Amino acid sequence: QVQLVESGGGLVQAGGSLRLSCAASGRTFSVNTMGWFRQAPGKERDFVARITWRGGNTYYADSVKGRFTISRDNTKNTVYLEMRRLQPEDTAVYYCAASKGYALASRENYDYWGQGTQVTASS
């Protein structure tokens, strides 16, 4: 099993920035991909970004490309999501996810999930 704990969410004005963290523990050697998803009220959980654990290969949703940056620190088993120029439409609960495979955007390919952290960007 892999445990994931997110932190760093909060309230920010439109145009502001936040950095989310996701600390992984347990059988982290089995993880190949780490991702971030988000879910707004009444909507589906959507893909945001992902990074491969060893090679650091990144992939982003079009809606966040150029504004969000995913990175990882292998020594700390932690993945980050740097979010800039936040807009009200970015408001959602953000979830960290881990995959044993080389996953892209489909949430069905992720095996482990965190509890989520709320991000609110006010206009």
Side-chain angles (χ1 to χ4, degrees):
Q1 287 288 341
V2 174
Q3 293 78 43
L4 304 172
V5 179
E6 302 99 334
S7 61
L11 174 65
V12 64
Q13 287 192 328
S17 300
L18 279 175
R19 188 176 83 154
L20 305 182
S21 300
C22 173
S25 61
R27 298 171 64 88
T28 57
F29 59 85
S30 67
V31 172
N32 282 299
T33 306
M34 296 289 292
W36 287 96
F37 289 74
R38 64 187 182 186
Q39 187 167 19
K43 295 192 175 181
E44 303 240 326
R45 189 172 299 188
D46 292 331
F47 169 77
V48 175
R50 76 90 157 114
I51 188 167
T52 58
W53 198 240
R54 292 169 184 80
N57 183 269
T58 58
Y59 180 70
Y60 295 91
D62 288 341
S63 59
V64 307
K65 206 173 292 183
R67 298 188 299 126
F68 290 12
T69 302
I70 189 171
S71 62
R72 91 273 193 232
D73 185 336
N74 294 46
T75 64
K76 298 180 180 179
N77 285 337
T78 300
V79 173
Y80 304 97
L81 186 68
E82 186 78 37
M83 303 183 294
R84 297 179 297 276
R85 304 199 309 272
L86 282 160
Q87 299 302 316
E89 52 266 34
D90 295 315
T91 295
V93 177
Y94 282 68
Y95 295 91
C96 178
S99 172
K100 291 182 285 188
Y102 291 96
L104 284 175
S106 176
R107 60 179 183 267
E108 288 76 20
N109 291 334
Y110 289 81
D111 304 290
Y112 307 102
W113 294 85
Q115 294 299 307
T117 184
Q118 177 70 45
V119 170
T120 303
S122 63
S123 56

